[in-house]
Amino acid sequence: MAQAAIELIGINKSFGAVRANRDINLEVTRGTIHGIVGENGAGKSTLMSILYGFYQADSGEIRVGGKPVSINTPNDAIALGIGMVHQHFMLVDNFTVLENVILGAETDALLKSSIAKARSELERLEREYGLEVDPDAIIEELPVGLQQRVEILKALYRGAEILILDEPTGVLTPAEADHLFRILKQLKEQGKTVVLITHKLREIMAITDTVSVMRQGTMVATRVTKETTVGELAELMVGRRVLLRVEKGQSEAGAIKLSVRNLTVKDSRGVTMVDDVSFDVHGGEIVGIAGVAGNGQSELLEAISGIRHAVSGEVMLEGKPIDLTGKADPGELRDRGLAHVPEDRHHVGLVLAFEENENSILGYHDDERYLKGPFLNVDAIMADAKDKIEKYDIRPGNPRLKTANFSGGNQQKIVLAREMEQDPGVLIVGQPTRGVDVGAIEFIHKRLIAMRDQGKAVLVVSVELDEIRSLSDRILVMFAGRIVGERGPEATEGELGLLMAGVEHQEAAE
Amino acid sequence: MDSFNAIVQVLDSTIRLSVPLLLACLAGLYSERAGIFDIGLEGKMLVGAFAGAAAASVFHSAFVGLGTAVLISVAFAMVHGFASITHRGNQIVSGVAINFVAAGSTIILGQAWFEQGGRTPALQPGERFEAIVWPGAEAIRNVPILGPVYAELISGHSILVYFAFAMVPFTWWVLFRTRFGLRMRAVGENPAAVDTAGISVAWLRYRALICTGVLTGVAGAYLSMVQNGGFVKDMTAGKGYIALAALIFAKWKPVNAMFACLLFGFLDAASIRLQGSPLPIIGKVPVQFMQALPYVLTVILLAGFIGKAIPPRAGGVPYVKER
């Protein structure tokens, strides 16, 4: 039996009345990649923050390398060889890579020898693990994949033997995620221990040796990855069997509701992001747009919903054109039956500081149902919010609660409830389940299919290929701003993957 | 030759007038680089000026005065820190409160202690910082051009003037070449990064505020013990705010700060010089117009001429650990 790098014994942690961790036991074997999965709010991040000294456990014992230790600050953790790569990077954006790496680990007041040491150390780490980054680059000018690499370098520079990664792929493109996994495997080969926190089961299956499942603050199971299945893990996470593929009937496509012709969109730098795109969405069908993030899907969505200027082309909503100057009145588009669930719900979809009931009518607040003369009809709004909470199973079910206090999945449900309950003719949804846990994904998918079955036209943009495949009646693949192919829902992942990578497109061009 | 002498005189008073601005501006640079907005520069200068003049007059020593000014000013900076770092209060509110407390308490204490209508007794020689005459200044005074420049501009200032200008390269060096500077800039940009690197955010910010207090103390001492021969109520007259404007104008960089303060000092000096003398073309303009000129220019410069000034990103936001 290999030695345990970390043992957690009977860890408990409460925040007020919420018990984030209950009696957690965990053993991580040295030199392995250990996955921890669970829904949002299952207590994974809290547990790892305890291990990193950010929080203190109410009770329980931590052993590192077999010895009981007390970790009260991140400094203690660093001294024990524990390094953490946070979900939101802990980097100073306008510092260089080198400055970020030495911050807090400088050995001399005048930095001369620290900087020299860091340079040679970075070179060594680069050689050994393939973590190449220019030490003099400014962080904010680096893509997120490289920024994450700097976070890993920071931990290794401090002599980390145990590396904790909190949702590392949430911000990465698939290619960057693959590269990260190669790095992690290399770290493992060099004898480091990796703890990977995620809610993406595919990653767990691809890279981990062992996996532990958390649910509602408890550790429900630990499995050897090879001996388990995605289905079993998903079931353990939510406590019941989940339909990873939503059941749906045949679509009955009706009249064209949304029609896009020769749409071209440039970004602020003048780079063409959407290049001569044309397609139709019929009533009663879901059209999915697949593609690696950054291939123009976001700009396409924004142009169609009237918030981004399009250089040329036209978009017809129920036969009438939409103003594409980027100055369209969103209220008018809503009146014409276009509902939009934006990709970035925190910045565009919700006002996080508002109460739930306020967000649940945001944008529809001048609808006479919610008004009493010139004033808001608070009773009607509350009744409406309660109704949506019940229908969409939004938790906690308190319409007075500040929206920021809802979990990501429930925030998304607030936006979806608002847009869907207006009974729009056309629904445009960006990343319907980004940052949403497994239970809520299923619910959201069912709702979208119900919309379709009512004869609405639904356009879904998602970077999750699984989601596109399980929802769509037709799949359009975007690459470098163009639609490079249309496939049916029966298309294989490999086939779509090639399209998304632009392989077929390039061959056709030659 | 006459106009040359006039220019030298204006430049000489430019230096004298820009010193308190420069000290206050560098003081603000330390705290704002560490992520603490400090609108209380004005108040800290004022208590420094009062404490300096009062102590110098009572103990008959300029250096005791300076030390007291620094001590009291640092104490006020710590109050700001206690409110805005330890208790995560609003930094603007705390700063404004400090300004009010300073304005009120200096008058009340001045009247109670010295009974001269809020003034401190006029400082005697030895209680003030005297001008330092550099070797050879008198000898070459009559050499054309070089003489007046050396004698008026370089020589003949008090030690605090040289201190202020020496603080410019020193601050640059601290900020960009030392561990303390690196951490201080980091805590002003992303305190969470500093916290997770195992460094105390609060202690770093307190240390930055100590630097701020020292410099505002010296600035205050300069006002009451060099520029003036004693404390007069409200003698800072908005210099703390001009220093903040200069700080933004300088984009939070020490060398830029020096040039910004020299510019404001020059405008001030020019407006004094031009009072009452007719301008070419326009003719005679009211005194008030000339006095308002530096402030008008402040608004114009800040509004349009500096381009995008990006403040330290964590500025004004109390640091709270997630959740």
Side-chain angles (χ1 to χ4, degrees):
Chain A
M1 179 74 195
Q3 204 195 347
I6 312 167
E7 288 164 87
L8 301 176
I9 302 152
I11 299 283
N12 278 291
K13 176 74 184 171
S14 299
F15 293 102
V18 183
R19 293 188 66 186
N21 284 163
R22 300 180 210 204
D23 204 25
I24 301 273
N25 293 303
L26 175 69
E27 191 177 316
V28 178
T29 311
R30 186 177 298 277
T32 63
I33 299 182
H34 193 114
I36 296 180
V37 282
E39 295 189 291
N40 298 336
K44 300 167 296 199
S45 293
T46 304
L47 187 65
M48 289 304 120
S49 294
I50 289 171
L51 190 54
Y52 191 62
F54 231 46
Y55 304 134
Q56 277 73 54
D58 299 333
S59 65
E61 187 179 300
I62 302 173
R63 289 186 196 164
V64 175
K67 283 192 281 291
V69 293
S70 77
I71 303 177
N72 295 317
T73 66
N75 255 348
D76 298 341
I78 292 165
L80 289 165
I82 299 172
M84 183 144 176
V85 174
H86 299 264
Q87 190 174 1
H88 305 285
F89 304 148
M90 295 297 177
L91 298 172
V92 182
D93 287 344
N94 54 3
F95 275 24
T96 64
V97 170
L98 195 76
E99 286 175 320
N100 267 293
V101 168
I102 62 171
L103 183 66
E106 320 91 332
T107 44
D108 56 332
L110 297 185
L111 299 176
K112 283 232 169 66
S113 73
S114 301
I115 287 173
K117 184 181 148 220
R119 271 193 199 281
S120 65
E121 184 70 7
L122 283 181
E123 260 168 45
R124 185 183 70 82
L125 292 170
E126 185 179 318
R127 268 201 317 277
E128 277 179 27
Y129 304 108
L131 286 158
E132 60 279 320
V133 191
D134 172 13
D136 298 310
I138 305 285
I139 294 294
E140 59 197 349
E141 289 165 7
L142 294 175
V144 274
L146 284 183
Q147 292 186 7
Q148 187 172 57
R149 224 176 273 179
V150 178
E151 279 276 71
I152 297 172
L153 282 169
K154 253 171 81 177
L156 294 177
Y157 181 73
R158 286 160 171 74
E161 287 299 316
I162 302 158
L163 199 62
I164 307 166
L165 294 103
D166 191 358
E167 302 281 1
T169 58
V171 292
L172 300 185
T173 63
E176 286 173 327
D178 284 345
H179 195 120
L180 172 69
F181 290 161
R182 280 202 297 278
I183 291 168
L184 294 184
K185 281 184 181 148
Q186 220 151 358
L187 287 168
K188 182 178 104 173
E189 276 161 26
Q190 304 270 350
K192 309 269 186 199
T193 310
V194 177
V195 179
L196 179 71
I197 306 172
T198 182
H199 62 259
K200 294 186 186 164
L201 295 174
R202 174 191 298 270
E203 293 169 3
I204 291 289
M205 299 310 287
I207 188 169
T208 62
D209 300 304
T210 328
V211 51
S212 298
V213 185
M214 287 186 78
R215 181 170 77 226
Q216 292 173 359
T218 59
M219 192 63 84
V220 289
T222 296
R223 296 275 187 274
V224 174
T225 310
K226 277 189 211 133
E227 296 164 8
T228 187
T229 61
V230 171
E232 188 195 12
L233 291 177
E235 193 183 334
L236 286 166
M237 270 166 76
V238 293
R240 67 197 146 86
R241 194 161 278 286
V242 188
L243 292 169
L244 278 178
R245 276 199 100 80
V246 195
E247 287 166 15
K248 62 175 186 193
Q250 198 60 39
S251 81
E252 289 170 27
I256 293 176
K257 294 229 173 192
L258 181 74
S259 165
V260 177
R261 285 287 167 272
N262 308 105
L263 189 70
T264 298
V265 180
K266 292 188 176 174
D267 72 358
S268 53
R269 295 163 298 165
V271 179
T272 304
M273 295 307 289
V274 178
D275 191 2
D276 195 24
V277 163
S278 303
F279 64 90
D280 295 320
V281 186
H282 299 255
E285 70 168 353
I286 298 180
V287 173
I289 295 185
V292 176
N295 275 290
Q297 307 97 307
S298 306
E299 289 77 9
L300 176 66
L301 267 192
E302 288 171 11
I304 295 176
S305 49
I307 51 182
R308 183 184 274 273
H309 169 71
V311 181
S312 60
E314 62 174 6
V315 178
M316 307 289 273
L317 175 62
E318 316 248 13
K320 285 193 205 112
I322 285 179
D323 176 9
L324 291 177
T325 58
K327 295 188 186 94
D329 177 7
E332 185 208 320
L333 290 178
R334 281 193 200 104
D335 288 345
R336 286 168 59 186
L338 179 80
H340 176 209
V341 176
E343 284 186 305
D344 182 351
R345 60 175 168 264
H346 283 173
H347 291 111
V348 188
L350 294 165
V351 181
L352 290 178
F354 277 14
E355 290 173 5
E356 193 274 343
N357 66 82
E358 294 171 308
N359 269 309
S360 80
I361 60 152
L362 200 69
Y364 299 99
H365 52 273
D366 46 8
D367 192 306
E368 53 191 41
R369 273 176 301 160
Y370 305 127
L371 292 178
K372 207 194 293 175
F375 302 106
L376 288 174
N377 184 345
V378 178
D379 292 339
I381 292 169
M382 290 301 277
D384 183 76
K386 282 189 187 131
D387 184 47
K388 284 174 184 161
I389 283 171
E390 201 164 307
K391 261 195 189 160
Y392 287 82
D393 190 28
I394 297 166
R395 288 184 225 175
N398 175 7
R400 298 236 79 129
L401 195 66
K402 218 170 96 172
T403 311
N405 294 339
F406 286 84
S407 71
N410 284 300
Q411 288 175 353
Q412 184 72 341
K413 285 187 196 168
I414 295 171
V415 181
L416 282 163
R418 179 179 76 207
E419 302 300 334
M420 287 182 177
E421 286 302 296
Q422 295 301 325
D423 199 28
V426 178
L427 180 67
I428 302 179
V429 190
Q431 315 299 346
T433 58
R434 177 180 276 174
V436 169
D437 53 53
V438 175
I441 289 176
E442 182 191 1
F443 178 86
I444 290 171
H445 284 184
K446 279 189 173 159
R447 278 279 159 186
L448 288 171
I449 286 166
M451 289 287 286
R452 177 199 81 164
D453 292 342
Q454 289 164 29
K456 318 290 188 196
V458 182
L459 178 65
V460 173
V461 169
S462 174
V463 290
E464 301 287 340
L465 198 50
D466 274 348
E467 176 163 271
I468 292 285
R469 288 176 65 218
S470 91
L471 277 177
S472 311
D473 300 308
R474 285 193 292 138
I475 302 171
L476 305 175
V477 182
M478 269 188 98
F479 175 74
R482 291 173 159 272
I483 289 184
V484 291
E486 178 178 335
R487 295 288 185 274
E490 70 288 342
T492 64
E493 196 171 310
E495 191 181 350
L496 293 169
L498 283 177
L499 280 171
M500 283 164 67
V503 173
E504 203 160 304
H505 181 60
Q506 277 161 6
E507 280 169 4
E510 275 161 16
Chain B
M1 202 63 217
D2 233 19
S3 62
F4 176 74
N5 275 336
I7 290 171
V8 168
Q9 269 170 22
V10 168
L11 291 181
D12 183 40
S13 54
T14 296
I15 290 174
R16 291 168 203 276
L17 289 169
S18 54
V19 163
L21 290 179
L22 179 57
L23 287 165
C25 189
L26 292 175
L29 193 144
Y30 280 93
S31 74
E32 299 219 342
R33 277 283 189 168
I36 305 284
F37 282 163
D38 199 350
I39 208 158
L41 293 176
E42 176 88 359
K44 287 199 279 285
M45 264 203 286
L46 197 62
V47 292
F50 175 74
S57 154
V58 171
F59 297 103
H60 307 295
S61 159
F63 282 96
V64 171
L66 179 67
T68 315
V70 167
L71 213 65
I72 297 297
S73 179
V74 169
F76 270 66
M78 292 300 96
V79 172
H80 186 48
F82 188 66
S84 60
I85 302 171
T86 306
H87 289 289
R88 304 186 191 114
N90 184 305
Q91 298 167 7
I92 303 296
V93 172
S94 162
V96 169
I98 281 175
N99 288 344
F100 277 114
V101 170
S105 62
T106 48
I107 298 173
I108 291 175
L109 292 177
Q111 177 62 17
W113 290 343
F114 304 107
E115 296 177 345
Q116 295 182 10
R119 290 167 171 269
T120 59
L123 293 176
Q124 305 304 314
E127 297 170 3
R128 299 182 57 176
F129 285 102
E130 307 294 343
I132 299 170
V133 178
W134 285 36
E138 288 311 313
I140 65 165
R141 181 176 282 278
N142 294 324
V143 177
I145 301 182
L146 198 65
V149 168
Y150 183 74
E152 296 286 334
L153 293 188
I154 296 172
S155 163
H157 294 289
S158 93
I159 187 165
L160 297 188
V161 174
Y162 301 113
F163 172 79
F165 284 93
M167 283 315 284
V168 175
F170 180 75
T171 299
W172 178 87
W173 178 77
V174 166
L175 214 52
F176 296 105
R177 287 289 179 274
T178 69
R179 176 171 59 188
F180 173 61
L182 180 78
R183 291 179 174 186
M184 197 175 79
R185 285 185 289 133
V187 85
E189 295 287 337
N190 186 357
V194 171
D195 197 11
T196 51
I199 314 166
S200 163
V201 171
W203 173 222
L204 250 182
R205 289 187 160 171
Y206 268 112
R207 276 183 291 172
L209 281 186
I210 290 174
C211 298
T212 303
V214 169
L215 289 173
T216 48
V218 177
Y222 178 84
L223 285 175
S224 66
M225 297 164 64
V226 176
Q227 223 171 48
N228 211 340
F231 176 82
V232 184
K233 71 167 187 169
D234 293 333
M235 72 186 306
T236 46
K239 288 193 177 59
Y241 301 110
I242 299 260
L244 278 181
L247 185 60
I248 298 169
F249 188 38
K251 299 183 180 174
W252 294 267
K253 293 192 176 108
V255 179
N256 290 5
M258 180 181 75
F259 288 117
C261 292
L262 282 172
L263 176 66
F264 285 118
F266 173 75
L267 291 172
D268 213 2
S271 77
I272 293 168
R273 174 82 196 175
L274 294 176
Q275 272 172 31
S277 50
L279 288 180
I281 308 169
I282 311 169
K284 222 168 145 74
V285 287
V287 175
Q288 287 80 1
F289 176 81
M290 296 312 299
Q291 284 172 336
L293 207 58
Y295 303 94
V296 172
L297 245 101
T298 307
V299 172
I300 293 172
L301 286 175
L302 286 181
F305 280 88
I306 54 166
K308 202 171 172 208
I310 301 163
R313 258 159 259 192
V317 189
Y319 178 61
V320 186
K321 273 191 192 186
E322 278 177 276
R323 274 220 260 201

mmCIF file of all heavy atoms in Angstrom, chain B residues 75-96:
data_model
loop_
_atom_site.group_PDB
_atom_site.id
_atom_site.type_symbol
_atom_site.label_atom_id
_atom_site.label_comp_id
_atom_site.label_asym_id
_atom_site.label_seq_id
_atom_site.Cartn_x
_atom_site.Cartn_y
_atom_site.Cartn_z
ATOM 1 N N ALA B 75 -0.316 59.171 13.784
ATOM 2 C CA ALA B 75 -1.422 58.738 14.637
ATOM 3 C C ALA B 75 -2.757 58.878 13.905
ATOM 4 O O ALA B 75 -3.607 57.993 13.956
ATOM 5 C CB ALA B 75 -1.426 59.550 15.932
ATOM 6 N N PHE B 76 -2.925 59.990 13.209
ATOM 7 C CA PHE B 76 -4.162 60.163 12.434
ATOM 8 C C PHE B 76 -4.256 59.140 11.306
ATOM 9 O O PHE B 76 -5.331 58.633 10.996
ATOM 10 C CB PHE B 76 -4.241 61.594 11.870
ATOM 11 C CG PHE B 76 -4.927 62.564 12.784
ATOM 12 C CD1 PHE B 76 -4.360 62.913 14.003
ATOM 13 C CD2 PHE B 76 -6.163 63.112 12.447
ATOM 14 C CE1 PHE B 76 -4.994 63.801 14.864
ATOM 15 C CE2 PHE B 76 -6.810 63.993 13.305
ATOM 16 C CZ PHE B 76 -6.222 64.341 14.515
ATOM 17 N N ALA B 77 -3.117 58.829 10.681
ATOM 18 C CA ALA B 77 -3.119 57.811 9.627
ATOM 19 C C ALA B 77 -3.552 56.468 10.199
ATOM 20 O O ALA B 77 -4.269 55.702 9.560
ATOM 21 C CB ALA B 77 -1.730 57.708 8.993
ATOM 22 N N MET B 78 -3.156 56.189 11.428
ATOM 23 C CA MET B 78 -3.528 54.923 12.056
ATOM 24 C C MET B 78 -5.028 54.883 12.359
ATOM 25 O O MET B 78 -5.648 53.827 12.288
ATOM 26 C CB MET B 78 -2.714 54.703 13.338
ATOM 27 C CG MET B 78 -1.226 54.466 13.115
ATOM 28 S SD MET B 78 -0.864 53.016 12.087
ATOM 29 C CE MET B 78 -0.669 53.762 10.486
ATOM 30 N N VAL B 79 -5.583 56.047 12.690
ATOM 31 C CA VAL B 79 -7.043 56.095 12.887
ATOM 32 C C VAL B 79 -7.738 55.731 11.579
ATOM 33 O O VAL B 79 -8.679 54.929 11.548
ATOM 34 C CB VAL B 79 -7.484 57.504 13.357
ATOM 35 C CG1 VAL B 79 -9.001 57.607 13.367
ATOM 36 C CG2 VAL B 79 -6.918 57.796 14.736
ATOM 37 N N HIS B 80 -7.243 56.296 10.494
ATOM 38 C CA HIS B 80 -7.799 55.978 9.170
ATOM 39 C C HIS B 80 -7.654 54.471 8.906
ATOM 40 O O HIS B 80 -8.578 53.829 8.416
ATOM 41 C CB HIS B 80 -7.051 56.786 8.107
ATOM 42 C CG HIS B 80 -7.612 56.653 6.729
ATOM 43 N ND1 HIS B 80 -8.955 56.772 6.447
ATOM 44 C CD2 HIS B 80 -7.009 56.404 5.537
ATOM 45 C CE1 HIS B 80 -9.146 56.612 5.151
ATOM 46 N NE2 HIS B 80 -7.991 56.383 4.581
ATOM 47 N N GLY B 81 -6.499 53.925 9.259
ATOM 48 C CA GLY B 81 -6.278 52.497 9.061
ATOM 49 C C GLY B 81 -7.210 51.658 9.920
ATOM 50 O O GLY B 81 -7.792 50.681 9.450
ATOM 51 N N PHE B 82 -7.375 52.062 11.173
ATOM 52 C CA PHE B 82 -8.236 51.304 12.075
ATOM 53 C C PHE B 82 -9.664 51.261 11.533
ATOM 54 O O PHE B 82 -10.310 50.219 11.543
ATOM 55 C CB PHE B 82 -8.221 51.947 13.466
ATOM 56 C CG PHE B 82 -8.918 51.145 14.513
ATOM 57 C CD1 PHE B 82 -8.414 49.906 14.902
ATOM 58 C CD2 PHE B 82 -10.079 51.619 15.112
ATOM 59 C CE1 PHE B 82 -9.061 49.159 15.865
ATOM 60 C CE2 PHE B 82 -10.734 50.872 16.079
ATOM 61 C CZ PHE B 82 -10.226 49.635 16.455
ATOM 62 N N ALA B 83 -10.127 52.401 11.021
ATOM 63 C CA ALA B 83 -11.487 52.449 10.479
ATOM 64 C C ALA B 83 -11.604 51.671 9.176
ATOM 65 O O ALA B 83 -12.547 50.903 8.975
ATOM 66 C CB ALA B 83 -11.909 53.900 10.268
ATOM 67 N N SER B 84 -10.617 51.859 8.289
ATOM 68 C CA SER B 84 -10.827 51.329 6.946
ATOM 69 C C SER B 84 -10.141 49.985 6.695
ATOM 70 O O SER B 84 -10.550 49.260 5.797
ATOM 71 C CB SER B 84 -10.379 52.353 5.898
ATOM 72 O OG SER B 84 -9.020 52.635 6.065
ATOM 73 N N ILE B 85 -9.144 49.624 7.464
ATOM 74 C CA ILE B 85 -8.523 48.312 7.271
ATOM 75 C C ILE B 85 -9.113 47.322 8.265
ATOM 76 O O ILE B 85 -9.721 46.326 7.883
ATOM 77 C CB ILE B 85 -6.983 48.378 7.446
ATOM 78 C CG1 ILE B 85 -6.373 49.368 6.468
ATOM 79 C CG2 ILE B 85 -6.382 46.987 7.242
ATOM 80 C CD1 ILE B 85 -4.907 49.653 6.719
ATOM 81 N N THR B 86 -8.952 47.619 9.562
ATOM 82 C CA THR B 86 -9.407 46.666 10.565
ATOM 83 C C THR B 86 -10.926 46.519 10.544
ATOM 84 O O THR B 86 -11.447 45.415 10.577
ATOM 85 C CB THR B 86 -8.952 47.124 11.967
ATOM 86 O OG1 THR B 86 -7.549 47.323 11.929
ATOM 87 C CG2 THR B 86 -9.292 46.086 13.016
ATOM 88 N N HIS B 87 -11.635 47.666 10.456
ATOM 89 C CA HIS B 87 -13.093 47.562 10.508
ATOM 90 C C HIS B 87 -13.756 47.692 9.149
ATOM 91 O O HIS B 87 -14.977 47.748 9.055
ATOM 92 C CB HIS B 87 -13.648 48.575 11.507
ATOM 93 C CG HIS B 87 -13.327 48.203 12.915
ATOM 94 N ND1 HIS B 87 -13.934 47.139 13.537
ATOM 95 C CD2 HIS B 87 -12.434 48.678 13.798
ATOM 96 C CE1 HIS B 87 -13.436 47.005 14.755
ATOM 97 N NE2 HIS B 87 -12.506 47.921 14.934
ATOM 98 N N ARG B 88 -12.966 47.713 8.100
ATOM 99 C CA ARG B 88 -13.460 47.705 6.725
ATOM 100 C C ARG B 88 -14.510 48.786 6.469
ATOM 101 O O ARG B 88 -15.499 48.575 5.778
ATOM 102 C CB ARG B 88 -14.070 46.338 6.382
ATOM 103 C CG ARG B 88 -13.090 45.223 6.607
ATOM 104 C CD ARG B 88 -13.616 43.899 6.149
ATOM 105 N NE ARG B 88 -12.758 42.841 6.605
ATOM 106 C CZ ARG B 88 -13.112 41.916 7.490
ATOM 107 N NH1 ARG B 88 -14.332 41.897 7.970
ATOM 108 N NH2 ARG B 88 -12.267 40.994 7.867
ATOM 109 N N GLY B 89 -14.277 49.932 7.069
ATOM 110 C CA GLY B 89 -15.208 51.041 6.868
ATOM 111 C C GLY B 89 -14.992 51.683 5.512
ATOM 112 O O GLY B 89 -14.045 51.355 4.797
ATOM 113 N N ASN B 90 -15.861 52.605 5.186
ATOM 114 C CA ASN B 90 -15.734 53.324 3.929
ATOM 115 C C ASN B 90 -14.572 54.304 4.023
ATOM 116 O O ASN B 90 -14.505 55.141 4.910
ATOM 117 C CB ASN B 90 -17.040 54.050 3.633
ATOM 118 C CG ASN B 90 -17.001 54.727 2.284
ATOM 119 O OD1 ASN B 90 -16.105 55.522 1.999
ATOM 120 N ND2 ASN B 90 -17.946 54.407 1.453
ATOM 121 N N GLN B 91 -13.647 54.197 3.073
ATOM 122 C CA GLN B 91 -12.410 54.973 3.157
ATOM 123 C C GLN B 91 -12.639 56.456 2.913
ATOM 124 O O GLN B 91 -11.926 57.297 3.462
ATOM 125 C CB GLN B 91 -11.390 54.400 2.166
ATOM 126 C CG GLN B 91 -11.046 52.967 2.528
ATOM 127 C CD GLN B 91 -10.302 52.244 1.436
ATOM 128 O OE1 GLN B 91 -9.913 52.823 0.429
ATOM 129 N NE2 GLN B 91 -10.096 50.950 1.605
ATOM 130 N N ILE B 92 -13.606 56.776 2.106
ATOM 131 C CA ILE B 92 -13.892 58.183 1.835
ATOM 132 C C ILE B 92 -14.476 58.823 3.102
ATOM 133 O O ILE B 92 -14.061 59.903 3.523
ATOM 134 C CB ILE B 92 -14.893 58.331 0.662
ATOM 135 C CG1 ILE B 92 -14.344 57.647 -0.591
ATOM 136 C CG2 ILE B 92 -15.188 59.800 0.401
ATOM 137 C CD1 ILE B 92 -13.086 58.233 -1.143
ATOM 138 N N VAL B 93 -15.438 58.126 3.721
ATOM 139 C CA VAL B 93 -16.064 58.663 4.927
ATOM 140 C C VAL B 93 -15.017 58.873 6.012
ATOM 141 O O VAL B 93 -14.947 59.933 6.637
ATOM 142 C CB VAL B 93 -17.173 57.714 5.428
ATOM 143 C CG1 VAL B 93 -17.694 58.170 6.778
ATOM 144 C CG2 VAL B 93 -18.305 57.650 4.417
ATOM 145 N N SER B 94 -14.168 57.871 6.197
ATOM 146 C CA SER B 94 -13.134 57.977 7.225
ATOM 147 C C SER B 94 -12.192 59.149 6.932
ATOM 148 O O SER B 94 -11.834 59.911 7.824
ATOM 149 C CB SER B 94 -12.362 56.651 7.288
ATOM 150 O OG SER B 94 -11.138 56.825 7.929
ATOM 151 N N GLY B 95 -11.832 59.311 5.664
ATOM 152 C CA GLY B 95 -10.926 60.396 5.285
ATOM 153 C C GLY B 95 -11.549 61.770 5.518
ATOM 154 O O GLY B 95 -10.910 62.684 6.040
ATOM 155 N N VAL B 96 -12.821 61.888 5.150
ATOM 156 C CA VAL B 96 -13.508 63.170 5.338
ATOM 157 C C VAL B 96 -13.613 63.478 6.825
ATOM 158 O O VAL B 96 -13.392 64.615 7.262
ATOM 159 C CB VAL B 96 -14.908 63.124 4.688
ATOM 160 C CG1 VAL B 96 -15.733 64.332 5.113
ATOM 161 C CG2 VAL B 96 -14.785 63.077 3.179
#
